[in-house]
Amino acid sequence: MQTVSNRGAGRRQRIVPPDFPDADSAIQPGRRTRPDGAVDILFVNPPAPDGGIWIRSQHRVGRRSREGMIWPQVGLAQMAALFPDLRVDVVDAIPSQMDWSTFEQLLEEARPRYYVTQVTAPTLRNDMYGAFLARSVGARTIAFGTHVTPVPRQTMETFPSLDFVLRGEPELTLRELVDTLNAAGSQSPVERSDGGWWPDVNPEFADRLQRLFTDADPDWHPAWSNPELSTLNHRLSAVKGLVWRDGSDVVVNPDRPFIRDLDDLPLPRHDLLPLGDYRAPMVRGPYSFVVTSRGCPANCRFCIKHVSYGRSVRFRSPESILAELELLVDLGVHSVNMYADLFTVSREQVVGLCELILERDLQLQWTCNSRVDFVDAEMLKLMSRAGCWMISWGIESGSEEILRRCWKGITPDQVERALRWAKAAGILNWGYFIIGLPGETTETIRETIRFSKKLPLDLVLFHIAAPHPGSPFFFEVVENGWFRPGTQWEQVDMDRSTVLDYPHLPAEELERWARRAFREWALRPGPILTYLRMLLKSPGLWRPALRIGLESLGWAAGRGEENHDTHSEESFGRWRESRTHS
Protein backbone atom coordinates (compact mmCIF):
# COMPACT_ATOMS: atom_id res chain seq x y z
CA MET A 1 0.00 0.00 0.00
CA GLN A 2 1.38 3.41 -1.05
CA THR A 3 1.94 5.96 1.70
CA VAL A 4 0.66 9.49 0.95
CA SER A 5 2.70 12.23 2.61
CA ASN A 6 1.22 15.55 3.72
CA ARG A 7 3.71 18.35 3.19
CA GLY A 8 1.87 20.48 5.72
CA ALA A 9 2.61 18.09 8.56
CA GLY A 10 5.01 19.64 11.04
CA ARG A 11 5.12 22.95 9.19
CA ARG A 12 6.30 25.77 11.44
CA GLN A 13 5.32 29.42 11.18
CA ARG A 14 7.80 31.43 9.15
CA ILE A 15 7.61 35.20 8.58
CA VAL A 16 9.66 36.88 5.87
CA PRO A 17 9.71 40.57 4.88
CA PRO A 18 6.90 41.46 2.45
CA ASP A 19 7.84 41.55 -1.22
CA PHE A 20 4.63 42.43 -3.09
CA PRO A 21 4.69 42.39 -6.88
CA ASP A 22 4.75 45.80 -8.57
CA ALA A 23 2.60 45.71 -11.69
CA ASP A 24 2.30 49.49 -11.95
CA SER A 25 5.50 49.81 -13.95
CA ALA A 26 4.20 47.29 -16.49
CA ILE A 27 0.78 48.90 -16.76
CA GLN A 28 1.80 52.57 -16.82
CA PRO A 29 3.11 52.73 -20.42
CA GLY A 30 -0.22 51.32 -21.62
CA ARG A 31 -2.16 53.89 -19.62
CA ARG A 32 -0.17 56.69 -21.24
CA THR A 33 -1.07 55.45 -24.72
CA ARG A 34 -4.06 57.36 -26.02
CA PRO A 35 -6.26 56.20 -28.91
CA ASP A 36 -6.27 57.96 -32.27
CA GLY A 37 -9.64 59.56 -31.53
CA ALA A 38 -8.50 61.07 -28.23
CA VAL A 39 -9.21 64.74 -27.57
CA ASP A 40 -7.35 67.35 -25.59
CA ILE A 41 -10.41 68.97 -23.98
CA LEU A 42 -13.85 67.42 -23.65
CA PHE A 43 -16.64 69.85 -22.77
CA VAL A 44 -19.47 67.93 -21.14
CA ASN A 45 -23.13 68.27 -20.29
CA PRO A 46 -23.38 64.92 -18.47
CA PRO A 47 -26.25 62.42 -18.30
CA ALA A 48 -29.22 63.44 -16.17
CA PRO A 49 -29.85 62.05 -12.68
CA ASP A 50 -33.04 60.25 -13.74
CA GLY A 51 -32.57 59.73 -17.47
CA GLY A 52 -34.90 62.65 -18.19
CA ILE A 53 -34.52 66.07 -19.78
CA TRP A 54 -32.62 68.47 -17.53
CA ILE A 55 -31.65 72.07 -18.12
CA ARG A 56 -28.14 73.26 -17.29
CA SER A 57 -26.32 76.32 -18.50
CA GLN A 58 -23.39 78.55 -17.63
CA HIS A 59 -25.41 81.12 -15.67
CA ARG A 60 -28.62 79.32 -14.76
CA VAL A 61 -29.71 76.72 -12.25
CA GLY A 62 -30.30 73.07 -13.03
CA ARG A 63 -33.85 71.80 -13.21
CA ARG A 64 -35.90 69.11 -14.86
CA SER A 65 -37.51 70.43 -18.02
CA ARG A 66 -41.22 70.02 -17.42
CA GLU A 67 -41.93 71.98 -20.61
CA GLY A 68 -39.83 69.57 -22.71
CA MET A 69 -37.16 72.10 -23.69
CA ILE A 70 -33.69 70.73 -24.51
CA TRP A 71 -31.31 73.65 -24.09
CA PRO A 72 -28.49 74.02 -26.64
CA GLN A 73 -25.16 74.01 -24.85
CA VAL A 74 -23.88 77.23 -26.34
CA GLY A 75 -21.82 77.92 -23.21
CA LEU A 76 -19.73 74.81 -23.88
CA ALA A 77 -19.48 75.75 -27.55
CA GLN A 78 -18.24 79.22 -26.55
CA MET A 79 -15.52 77.79 -24.32
CA ALA A 80 -14.46 75.35 -27.06
CA ALA A 81 -13.96 78.28 -29.45
CA LEU A 82 -11.11 79.58 -27.26
CA PHE A 83 -8.92 76.59 -28.23
CA PRO A 84 -8.29 76.51 -32.00
CA ASP A 85 -4.82 75.06 -31.29
CA LEU A 86 -6.12 71.97 -29.46
CA ARG A 87 -8.40 69.08 -30.35
CA VAL A 88 -11.70 69.76 -28.60
CA ASP A 89 -15.14 68.20 -28.58
CA VAL A 90 -18.51 68.71 -26.91
CA VAL A 91 -20.62 65.90 -25.47
CA ASP A 92 -24.21 66.77 -24.64
CA ALA A 93 -25.75 63.68 -23.08
CA ILE A 94 -29.20 65.21 -22.59
CA PRO A 95 -30.79 65.17 -26.08
CA SER A 96 -30.23 61.42 -26.55
CA GLN A 97 -30.95 60.73 -22.85
CA MET A 98 -27.63 58.92 -22.68
CA ASP A 99 -27.13 56.65 -19.69
CA TRP A 100 -23.98 56.40 -17.60
CA SER A 101 -22.73 53.10 -19.07
CA THR A 102 -22.78 54.63 -22.55
CA PHE A 103 -21.12 57.79 -21.25
CA GLU A 104 -18.36 55.70 -19.68
CA GLN A 105 -17.77 53.97 -23.02
CA LEU A 106 -17.59 57.37 -24.69
CA LEU A 107 -14.96 58.54 -22.20
CA GLU A 108 -12.86 55.46 -22.97
CA GLU A 109 -12.82 56.44 -26.64
CA ALA A 110 -12.33 60.17 -26.15
CA ARG A 111 -9.65 59.84 -23.41
CA PRO A 112 -9.55 63.61 -22.79
CA ARG A 113 -6.60 65.30 -21.15
CA TYR A 114 -9.04 67.81 -19.66
CA TYR A 115 -12.66 67.19 -18.72
CA VAL A 116 -14.72 70.40 -18.38
CA THR A 117 -18.23 70.12 -16.96
CA GLN A 118 -20.91 72.40 -15.60
CA VAL A 119 -22.33 71.77 -12.15
CA THR A 120 -25.64 72.83 -10.64
CA ALA A 121 -27.05 72.23 -7.17
CA PRO A 122 -29.91 69.84 -8.11
CA THR A 123 -27.50 67.67 -10.13
CA LEU A 124 -24.41 67.97 -7.91
CA ARG A 125 -23.58 64.34 -7.06
CA ASN A 126 -24.71 63.24 -10.49
CA ASP A 127 -22.36 65.73 -12.18
CA MET A 128 -19.49 64.77 -9.92
CA TYR A 129 -19.92 61.13 -10.92
CA GLY A 130 -18.91 62.24 -14.40
CA ALA A 131 -15.76 63.82 -12.95
CA PHE A 132 -15.01 60.56 -11.12
CA LEU A 133 -15.27 58.58 -14.38
CA ALA A 134 -13.11 61.12 -16.21
CA ARG A 135 -10.40 60.85 -13.56
CA SER A 136 -10.42 57.08 -14.04
CA VAL A 137 -9.33 57.53 -17.68
CA GLY A 138 -6.58 59.99 -16.75
CA ALA A 139 -8.27 63.36 -17.30
CA ARG A 140 -7.81 66.44 -15.18
CA THR A 141 -11.30 67.45 -14.10
CA ILE A 142 -12.59 71.04 -14.19
CA ALA A 143 -16.01 72.34 -13.11
CA PHE A 144 -17.80 75.65 -13.59
CA GLY A 145 -21.30 76.97 -13.06
CA THR A 146 -23.77 78.44 -10.63
CA HIS A 147 -23.12 75.96 -7.83
CA VAL A 148 -19.33 75.81 -7.69
CA THR A 149 -18.94 79.59 -8.02
CA PRO A 150 -20.56 80.36 -4.62
CA VAL A 151 -19.70 76.99 -3.00
CA PRO A 152 -16.16 76.17 -4.21
CA ARG A 153 -14.48 74.97 -1.00
CA GLN A 154 -17.23 72.62 0.12
CA THR A 155 -17.53 71.16 -3.37
CA MET A 156 -13.78 70.51 -3.65
CA GLU A 157 -13.57 69.08 -0.14
CA THR A 158 -16.54 66.78 -0.66
CA PHE A 159 -15.56 65.50 -4.10
CA PRO A 160 -11.85 64.59 -4.31
CA SER A 161 -12.17 63.58 -7.97
CA LEU A 162 -12.58 67.26 -8.87
CA ASP A 163 -9.24 68.93 -9.59
CA PHE A 164 -10.21 72.53 -10.40
CA VAL A 165 -13.11 74.98 -10.20
CA LEU A 166 -13.55 78.01 -12.47
CA ARG A 167 -15.38 80.70 -10.51
CA GLY A 168 -17.63 83.14 -12.31
CA GLU A 169 -16.98 83.80 -16.00
CA PRO A 170 -15.05 80.68 -17.04
CA GLU A 171 -13.54 81.30 -20.50
CA LEU A 172 -10.31 83.16 -19.70
CA THR A 173 -9.64 81.23 -16.50
CA LEU A 174 -9.90 77.97 -18.43
CA ARG A 175 -7.62 79.18 -21.23
CA GLU A 176 -4.94 80.28 -18.77
CA LEU A 177 -5.28 77.11 -16.69
CA VAL A 178 -4.85 74.80 -19.69
CA ASP A 179 -1.88 76.79 -20.99
CA THR A 180 -0.27 76.68 -17.55
CA LEU A 181 -0.74 72.93 -17.19
CA ASN A 182 0.44 72.27 -20.75
CA ALA A 183 3.56 74.35 -20.12
CA ALA A 184 4.38 72.04 -17.20
CA GLY A 185 4.27 69.06 -19.59
CA SER A 186 5.32 68.42 -23.14
CA GLN A 187 3.08 71.08 -24.71
CA SER A 188 4.76 74.34 -23.80
CA PRO A 189 3.45 77.75 -24.84
CA VAL A 190 6.42 80.09 -25.27
CA GLU A 191 6.51 83.78 -25.87
CA ARG A 192 6.63 84.84 -29.51
CA SER A 193 9.16 87.35 -30.72
CA ASP A 194 6.38 89.91 -31.18
CA GLY A 195 5.39 89.69 -27.53
CA GLY A 196 2.55 87.18 -27.89
CA TRP A 197 2.18 83.97 -25.92
CA TRP A 198 0.32 81.53 -28.19
CA PRO A 199 2.70 80.32 -30.92
CA ASP A 200 0.42 77.49 -32.04
CA VAL A 201 -2.49 79.71 -33.06
CA ASN A 202 -2.55 82.15 -35.94
CA PRO A 203 -1.34 85.66 -35.06
CA GLU A 204 -4.77 87.22 -35.50
CA PHE A 205 -6.33 84.84 -32.96
CA ALA A 206 -3.35 85.25 -30.62
CA ASP A 207 -3.89 89.01 -30.71
CA ARG A 208 -7.58 88.44 -29.90
CA LEU A 209 -6.64 86.32 -26.88
CA GLN A 210 -4.15 88.88 -25.65
CA ARG A 211 -6.74 91.66 -26.03
CA LEU A 212 -9.32 89.63 -24.06
CA PHE A 213 -6.90 89.13 -21.18
CA THR A 214 -5.32 92.58 -21.02
CA ASP A 215 -8.48 94.63 -21.60
CA ALA A 216 -10.07 92.86 -18.62
CA ASP A 217 -6.92 93.08 -16.50
CA PRO A 218 -4.25 95.56 -17.71
CA ASP A 219 -1.67 94.09 -15.31
CA TRP A 220 -2.20 90.54 -16.54
CA HIS A 221 0.84 88.46 -17.38
CA PRO A 222 0.52 84.75 -18.27
CA ALA A 223 1.20 82.52 -15.29
CA TRP A 224 3.10 79.98 -17.38
CA SER A 225 5.75 82.42 -18.66
CA ASN A 226 6.48 84.35 -15.48
CA PRO A 227 10.13 83.56 -14.53
CA GLU A 228 9.45 84.47 -10.90
CA LEU A 229 7.00 81.57 -10.61
CA SER A 230 9.31 78.58 -10.47
CA THR A 231 6.90 75.73 -9.64
CA LEU A 232 3.53 74.63 -10.98
CA ASN A 233 1.86 75.49 -7.67
CA HIS A 234 3.28 79.01 -7.82
CA ARG A 235 1.90 79.38 -11.34
CA LEU A 236 -1.52 78.01 -10.41
CA SER A 237 -1.70 80.51 -7.56
CA ALA A 238 -1.42 83.32 -10.15
CA VAL A 239 -4.41 82.21 -12.26
CA LYS A 240 -7.25 84.51 -11.25
CA GLY A 241 -10.68 82.94 -10.86
CA LEU A 242 -9.22 79.48 -10.17
CA VAL A 243 -9.87 77.15 -7.24
CA TRP A 244 -7.30 74.35 -6.91
CA ARG A 245 -5.64 71.92 -4.52
CA ASP A 246 -2.32 72.55 -2.81
CA GLY A 247 -1.84 69.17 -1.16
CA SER A 248 -4.76 68.75 1.22
CA ASP A 249 -5.64 72.46 1.14
CA VAL A 250 -8.23 74.02 -1.16
CA VAL A 251 -6.96 77.36 -2.48
CA VAL A 252 -9.38 80.03 -3.75
CA ASN A 253 -7.49 82.53 -5.91
CA PRO A 254 -8.53 86.19 -6.33
CA ASP A 255 -11.46 86.78 -8.67
CA ARG A 256 -10.90 87.33 -12.36
CA PRO A 257 -12.20 90.64 -13.80
CA PHE A 258 -15.02 90.36 -16.32
CA ILE A 259 -14.41 90.36 -20.06
CA ARG A 260 -14.89 93.96 -21.11
CA ASP A 261 -15.86 93.59 -24.78
CA LEU A 262 -17.92 90.50 -25.63
CA ASP A 263 -17.29 91.13 -29.33
CA ASP A 264 -13.69 90.01 -28.75
CA LEU A 265 -14.87 86.48 -27.98
CA PRO A 266 -14.70 84.16 -31.00
CA LEU A 267 -18.02 82.86 -32.29
CA PRO A 268 -19.14 79.69 -30.47
CA ARG A 269 -18.42 76.30 -32.05
CA HIS A 270 -22.06 75.54 -32.87
CA ASP A 271 -20.78 72.89 -35.27
CA LEU A 272 -19.82 70.74 -32.27
CA LEU A 273 -23.41 70.67 -30.96
CA PRO A 274 -26.18 68.21 -31.93
CA LEU A 275 -28.27 71.05 -33.36
CA GLY A 276 -30.93 68.77 -34.82
CA ASP A 277 -31.64 67.23 -31.40
CA TYR A 278 -32.48 70.42 -29.51
CA ARG A 279 -36.08 71.44 -29.13
CA ALA A 280 -38.46 73.92 -27.57
CA PRO A 281 -42.26 74.21 -27.53
CA MET A 282 -43.61 74.81 -31.06
CA VAL A 283 -40.14 74.89 -32.63
CA ARG A 284 -39.43 72.71 -35.65
CA GLY A 285 -36.07 71.67 -37.05
CA PRO A 286 -32.54 72.47 -35.84
CA TYR A 287 -32.45 74.97 -33.02
CA SER A 288 -29.83 76.87 -31.05
CA PHE A 289 -29.15 79.73 -28.64
CA VAL A 290 -27.32 82.98 -29.34
CA VAL A 291 -25.99 84.81 -26.27
CA THR A 292 -26.55 88.51 -26.88
CA SER A 293 -25.44 89.95 -23.53
CA ARG A 294 -24.26 89.04 -20.06
CA GLY A 295 -25.65 90.45 -16.85
CA CYS A 296 -28.82 92.22 -15.77
CA PRO A 297 -29.34 95.57 -14.01
CA ALA A 298 -32.32 94.30 -11.98
CA ASN A 299 -32.01 93.32 -8.32
CA CYS A 300 -34.44 90.39 -7.97
CA ARG A 301 -33.45 88.71 -4.72
CA PHE A 302 -34.31 85.17 -5.83
CA CYS A 303 -32.28 85.24 -9.06
CA ILE A 304 -29.08 83.26 -9.59
CA LYS A 305 -27.65 85.36 -12.44
CA HIS A 306 -25.78 87.76 -10.16
CA VAL A 307 -23.75 84.81 -8.85
CA SER A 308 -21.91 84.49 -12.17
CA TYR A 309 -21.89 88.04 -13.50
CA GLY A 310 -22.48 90.29 -10.52
CA ARG A 311 -24.28 93.46 -11.55
CA SER A 312 -22.16 94.17 -14.58
CA VAL A 313 -24.09 94.48 -17.86
CA ARG A 314 -22.24 93.88 -21.12
CA PHE A 315 -23.77 93.44 -24.54
CA ARG A 316 -22.55 92.49 -27.98
CA SER A 317 -22.83 94.72 -31.00
CA PRO A 318 -25.66 94.01 -33.45
CA GLU A 319 -23.01 93.23 -36.09
CA SER A 320 -21.40 90.56 -33.90
CA ILE A 321 -24.77 88.92 -33.17
CA LEU A 322 -25.69 89.01 -36.85
CA ALA A 323 -22.43 87.23 -37.76
CA GLU A 324 -23.37 84.40 -35.42
CA LEU A 325 -26.92 84.25 -36.79
CA GLU A 326 -25.53 83.98 -40.32
CA LEU A 327 -23.20 81.19 -39.16
CA LEU A 328 -26.19 79.30 -37.79
CA VAL A 329 -28.19 79.78 -40.99
CA ASP A 330 -25.23 78.30 -42.90
CA LEU A 331 -25.46 75.29 -40.54
CA GLY A 332 -29.15 74.90 -41.39
CA VAL A 333 -30.52 76.52 -38.23
CA HIS A 334 -33.49 78.89 -38.73
CA SER A 335 -34.91 78.81 -35.18
CA VAL A 336 -33.02 80.66 -32.46
CA ASN A 337 -33.48 81.78 -28.89
CA MET A 338 -31.77 85.09 -28.11
CA TYR A 339 -30.35 83.87 -24.83
CA ALA A 340 -29.51 86.52 -22.24
CA ASP A 341 -30.16 87.42 -18.63
CA LEU A 342 -32.26 90.20 -20.14
CA PHE A 343 -32.45 90.35 -23.94
CA THR A 344 -33.92 93.85 -24.09
CA VAL A 345 -31.34 95.33 -21.69
CA SER A 346 -30.26 97.77 -24.46
CA ARG A 347 -32.97 99.20 -26.69
CA GLU A 348 -30.35 100.46 -29.13
CA GLN A 349 -28.84 96.98 -29.47
CA VAL A 350 -32.24 95.33 -30.05
CA VAL A 351 -33.34 97.92 -32.62
CA GLY A 352 -30.00 97.73 -34.41
CA LEU A 353 -30.14 93.93 -34.55
CA CYS A 354 -33.70 93.87 -35.85
CA GLU A 355 -32.86 96.39 -38.56
CA LEU A 356 -29.87 94.28 -39.67
CA ILE A 357 -31.99 91.10 -39.79
CA LEU A 358 -34.55 92.88 -41.98
CA GLU A 359 -31.88 94.49 -44.15
CA ARG A 360 -30.19 91.11 -44.82
CA ASP A 361 -33.58 89.38 -45.21
CA LEU A 362 -32.34 86.70 -42.80
CA GLN A 363 -34.88 83.87 -42.70
CA LEU A 364 -35.09 83.35 -38.95
CA GLN A 365 -37.75 82.74 -36.35
CA TRP A 366 -36.62 83.65 -32.86
CA THR A 367 -37.69 83.93 -29.24
CA CYS A 368 -36.27 85.86 -26.32
CA ASN A 369 -36.91 86.88 -22.73
CA SER A 370 -37.64 90.32 -21.33
CA ARG A 371 -38.81 92.38 -18.41
CA VAL A 372 -42.05 94.31 -18.72
CA ASP A 373 -40.27 97.58 -17.89
CA PHE A 374 -37.65 97.17 -20.64
CA VAL A 375 -39.95 97.23 -23.69
CA ASP A 376 -42.17 99.64 -25.57
CA ALA A 377 -44.87 99.15 -28.19
CA GLU A 378 -42.78 100.43 -31.09
CA MET A 379 -39.83 98.18 -30.30
CA LEU A 380 -42.07 95.11 -29.96
CA LYS A 381 -43.58 95.74 -33.40
CA LEU A 382 -40.08 95.95 -34.90
CA MET A 383 -39.06 92.73 -33.13
CA SER A 384 -42.10 90.96 -34.56
CA ARG A 385 -41.26 92.12 -38.11
CA ALA A 386 -37.69 90.82 -37.63
CA GLY A 387 -38.90 87.32 -36.72
CA CYS A 388 -39.62 87.37 -32.97
CA TRP A 389 -42.66 85.21 -32.33
CA MET A 390 -42.58 84.59 -28.56
CA ILE A 391 -41.27 86.33 -25.44
CA SER A 392 -40.73 84.76 -22.02
CA TRP A 393 -41.64 87.16 -19.23
CA GLY A 394 -40.55 86.90 -15.61
CA ILE A 395 -43.82 87.94 -13.94
CA GLU A 396 -43.33 86.01 -10.66
CA SER A 397 -46.42 87.19 -8.73
CA GLY A 398 -49.71 89.02 -9.02
CA SER A 399 -49.23 90.55 -5.57
CA GLU A 400 -47.68 94.01 -5.43
CA GLU A 401 -46.46 93.25 -1.91
CA ILE A 402 -44.59 90.11 -3.00
CA LEU A 403 -43.09 91.91 -6.01
CA ARG A 404 -41.92 94.73 -3.75
CA ARG A 405 -40.47 92.41 -1.13
CA CYS A 406 -38.43 90.41 -3.66
CA TRP A 407 -37.17 93.64 -5.27
CA LYS A 408 -38.66 92.76 -8.64
CA GLY A 409 -39.13 96.43 -9.47
CA ILE A 410 -42.32 96.07 -11.54
CA THR A 411 -46.06 96.43 -10.96
CA PRO A 412 -49.00 94.30 -12.15
CA ASP A 413 -50.15 97.25 -14.31
CA GLN A 414 -46.81 97.26 -16.14
CA VAL A 415 -47.10 93.51 -16.69
CA GLU A 416 -50.54 93.76 -18.24
CA ARG A 417 -49.57 96.69 -20.47
CA ALA A 418 -46.40 95.05 -21.84
CA LEU A 419 -48.10 91.73 -22.56
CA ARG A 420 -50.93 93.49 -24.42
CA TRP A 421 -48.37 95.41 -26.48
CA ALA A 422 -46.69 92.12 -27.40
CA LYS A 423 -50.00 90.46 -28.27
CA ALA A 424 -50.94 93.42 -30.47
CA ALA A 425 -47.59 93.06 -32.27
CA GLY A 426 -48.36 89.40 -33.01
CA ILE A 427 -45.94 87.97 -30.41
CA LEU A 428 -46.93 85.09 -28.13
CA ASN A 429 -46.52 85.53 -24.37
CA TRP A 430 -44.98 82.92 -22.08
CA GLY A 431 -45.35 83.83 -18.40
CA TYR A 432 -43.14 82.55 -15.57
CA PHE A 433 -44.50 82.69 -12.02
CA ILE A 434 -42.96 81.74 -8.67
CA ILE A 435 -45.00 80.33 -5.79
CA GLY A 436 -43.50 80.68 -2.31
CA LEU A 437 -41.41 83.83 -2.31
CA PRO A 438 -40.91 85.48 1.12
CA GLY A 439 -44.13 86.95 2.47
CA GLU A 440 -46.28 84.55 0.45
CA THR A 441 -49.67 83.61 1.92
CA THR A 442 -52.57 81.61 0.58
CA GLU A 443 -54.24 84.89 -0.33
CA THR A 444 -51.25 86.22 -2.33
CA ILE A 445 -51.09 82.87 -4.15
CA ARG A 446 -54.78 83.17 -5.03
CA GLU A 447 -54.04 86.73 -6.19
CA THR A 448 -51.32 85.37 -8.51
CA ILE A 449 -53.65 82.72 -9.93
CA ARG A 450 -56.36 85.30 -10.60
CA PHE A 451 -53.80 87.60 -12.23
CA SER A 452 -52.45 84.83 -14.49
CA LYS A 453 -55.98 84.17 -15.80
CA LYS A 454 -56.46 87.86 -16.55
CA LEU A 455 -53.32 88.22 -18.68
CA PRO A 456 -53.05 87.51 -22.45
CA LEU A 457 -50.79 84.49 -21.88
CA ASP A 458 -50.26 81.62 -24.31
CA LEU A 459 -48.00 79.47 -22.10
CA VAL A 460 -47.21 79.51 -18.38
CA LEU A 461 -44.89 77.86 -15.89
CA PHE A 462 -45.50 77.99 -12.16
CA HIS A 463 -42.20 77.36 -10.40
CA ILE A 464 -41.67 76.92 -6.67
CA ALA A 465 -39.30 79.37 -4.99
CA ALA A 466 -35.83 77.86 -4.64
CA PRO A 467 -33.05 79.39 -2.48
CA HIS A 468 -30.19 78.94 -4.91
CA PRO A 469 -26.81 79.15 -3.17
CA GLY A 470 -25.29 82.60 -3.39
CA SER A 471 -28.52 84.47 -4.14
CA PRO A 472 -29.82 87.05 -1.61
CA PHE A 473 -32.87 84.81 -1.13
CA PHE A 474 -30.56 81.94 -0.08
CA PHE A 475 -28.97 84.00 2.70
CA GLU A 476 -32.42 85.18 3.85
CA VAL A 477 -33.61 81.56 4.08
CA VAL A 478 -30.50 80.56 6.06
CA GLU A 479 -30.85 83.52 8.43
CA ASN A 480 -34.52 82.79 9.13
CA GLY A 481 -34.19 79.02 9.40
CA TRP A 482 -36.61 78.33 6.53
CA PHE A 483 -34.65 75.39 5.12
CA ARG A 484 -36.37 72.06 5.71
CA PRO A 485 -34.17 70.03 8.12
CA GLY A 486 -31.83 67.59 6.38
CA THR A 487 -31.95 69.43 3.05
CA GLN A 488 -29.54 68.17 0.38
CA TRP A 489 -28.30 70.32 -2.49
CA GLU A 490 -30.11 68.07 -4.96
CA GLN A 491 -33.43 69.07 -3.38
CA VAL A 492 -33.00 72.78 -4.15
CA ASP A 493 -35.23 72.33 -7.18
CA MET A 494 -37.53 75.04 -8.57
CA ASP A 495 -39.58 72.64 -10.66
CA ARG A 496 -41.06 69.71 -8.75
CA SER A 497 -40.57 70.21 -5.04
CA THR A 498 -39.27 72.66 -2.46
CA VAL A 499 -36.98 72.75 0.55
CA LEU A 500 -38.77 75.73 2.08
CA ASP A 501 -40.64 75.35 5.34
CA TYR A 502 -42.30 78.62 6.25
CA PRO A 503 -44.08 78.58 9.63
CA HIS A 504 -47.40 79.30 7.95
CA LEU A 505 -46.75 77.51 4.61
CA PRO A 506 -44.89 74.19 4.83
CA ALA A 507 -43.27 72.59 1.79
CA GLU A 508 -46.20 70.32 1.01
CA GLU A 509 -48.58 73.27 0.86
CA LEU A 510 -46.33 75.21 -1.51
CA GLU A 511 -46.09 72.19 -3.82
CA ARG A 512 -49.86 71.71 -3.71
CA TRP A 513 -50.50 75.35 -4.55
CA ALA A 514 -48.02 75.30 -7.48
CA ARG A 515 -49.85 72.33 -9.00
CA ARG A 516 -53.24 73.92 -8.35
CA ALA A 517 -52.13 77.19 -9.97
CA PHE A 518 -51.19 75.40 -13.19
CA ARG A 519 -54.42 73.39 -13.23
CA GLU A 520 -56.56 76.48 -12.74
CA TRP A 521 -54.77 78.33 -15.54
CA ALA A 522 -54.49 75.49 -18.05
CA LEU A 523 -57.86 73.77 -17.74
CA ARG A 524 -59.86 76.65 -19.19
CA PRO A 525 -61.33 77.00 -22.70
CA GLY A 526 -58.86 79.71 -23.77
CA PRO A 527 -55.58 77.84 -23.07
CA ILE A 528 -57.04 74.57 -24.38
CA LEU A 529 -58.06 76.21 -27.68
CA THR A 530 -54.63 77.88 -27.95
CA TYR A 531 -52.98 74.50 -27.42
CA LEU A 532 -55.14 72.83 -30.09
CA ARG A 533 -54.43 75.66 -32.57
CA MET A 534 -50.70 75.18 -32.00
CA LEU A 535 -51.05 71.47 -32.74
CA LEU A 536 -53.03 72.11 -35.93
CA LYS A 537 -50.42 74.64 -37.10
CA SER A 538 -47.55 72.17 -36.65
CA PRO A 539 -48.72 68.55 -37.18
CA GLY A 540 -45.11 67.35 -37.00
CA LEU A 541 -44.97 68.44 -33.35
CA TRP A 542 -48.05 66.48 -32.22
CA ARG A 543 -46.16 63.67 -30.53
CA PRO A 544 -43.76 65.77 -28.38
CA ALA A 545 -46.49 68.35 -27.69
CA LEU A 546 -48.91 65.69 -26.47
CA ARG A 547 -46.23 64.07 -24.32
CA ILE A 548 -45.27 67.41 -22.77
CA GLY A 549 -48.93 68.25 -22.19
CA LEU A 550 -49.60 64.92 -20.50
CA GLU A 551 -46.46 65.27 -18.35
CA SER A 552 -47.50 68.75 -17.26
CA LEU A 553 -51.01 67.62 -16.41
CA GLY A 554 -49.56 64.62 -14.57
CA TRP A 555 -47.39 66.92 -12.49
CA ALA A 556 -50.33 69.24 -11.84
CA ALA A 557 -52.35 66.25 -10.66
CA GLY A 558 -49.56 65.28 -8.25
CA ARG A 559 -48.42 62.14 -10.03
CA GLY A 560 -44.71 61.28 -10.14
CA GLU A 561 -42.84 61.56 -13.39
CA GLU A 562 -41.47 58.34 -14.78
CA ASN A 563 -37.98 58.15 -16.14
CA HIS A 564 -37.69 58.26 -19.89
CA ASP A 565 -36.27 55.35 -21.84
CA THR A 566 -32.63 55.62 -22.75
CA HIS A 567 -31.26 54.93 -26.19
CA SER A 568 -27.69 54.18 -25.19
CA GLU A 569 -26.14 52.28 -28.07
CA GLU A 570 -27.92 54.36 -30.68
CA SER A 571 -26.78 57.64 -29.13
CA PHE A 572 -23.20 56.40 -28.71
CA GLY A 573 -23.06 55.16 -32.27
CA ARG A 574 -24.34 58.50 -33.53
CA TRP A 575 -21.70 60.37 -31.51
CA ARG A 576 -18.87 58.09 -32.70
CA GLU A 577 -19.97 58.31 -36.35
CA SER A 578 -20.18 62.12 -36.24
CA ARG A 579 -16.62 62.30 -34.87
CA THR A 580 -15.31 59.88 -37.50
CA HIS A 581 -16.54 62.11 -40.31
CA SER A 582 -15.55 65.44 -38.74
Side-chain angles (χ1 to χ4, degrees), residues 366-418:
W366 52 276
T367 60
C368 65
N369 70 354
S370 186
R371 282 176 56 100
V372 298
D373 53 345
F374 274 74
V375 294
D376 58 69
E378 182 184 356
M379 185 176 77
L380 289 168
K381 290 175 185 175
L382 179 62
M383 289 167 60
S384 179
R385 286 176 50 220
C388 178
W389 63 275
M390 182 166 66
I391 297 177
S392 301
W393 306 93
I395 301 170
E396 325 312 356
S397 178
S399 164
E400 289 201 48
E401 172 60 23
I402 298 299
L403 292 172
R404 184 194 61 77
R405 182 160 176 178
C406 72
W407 295 12
K408 181 68 182 179
I410 61 174
T411 66
D413 287 343
Q414 287 176 302
V415 173
E416 190 168 356
R417 182 180 61 188

Side-chain angles (χ1 to χ4, degrees), residues 491-526:
Q491 296 169 312
V492 183
D493 179 9
M494 63 195 288
D495 192 53
R496 290 183 296 173
S497 59
T498 183
V499 296
L500 293 173
D501 252 337
Y502 294 121
H504 59 291
L505 271 178
E508 293 81 4
E509 279 293 290
L510 292 174
E511 292 166 13
R512 185 179 68 82
W513 274 109
R515 291 192 294 269
R516 176 175 168 178
F518 180 76
R519 284 198 309 270
E520 289 200 24
W521 183 88
L523 299 180
R524 295 177 299 133

Side-chain angles (χ1 to χ4, degrees), residues 24-67:
D24 277 337
S25 57
I27 293 172
Q28 203 60 36
R31 284 183 59 82
R32 284 195 292 264
T33 302
R34 303 173 73 239
D36 292 339
V39 300
D40 294 310
I41 311 176
L42 194 64
F43 296 93
V44 175
N45 188 30
D50 57 2
I53 304 300
W54 280 71
I55 288 172
R56 300 185 189 87
S57 83
Q58 176 176 321
H59 51 155
R60 293 285 174 181
V61 297
R63 64 175 177 89
R64 202 177 194 282
S65 179
R66 190 182 350 130
E67 68 274 33

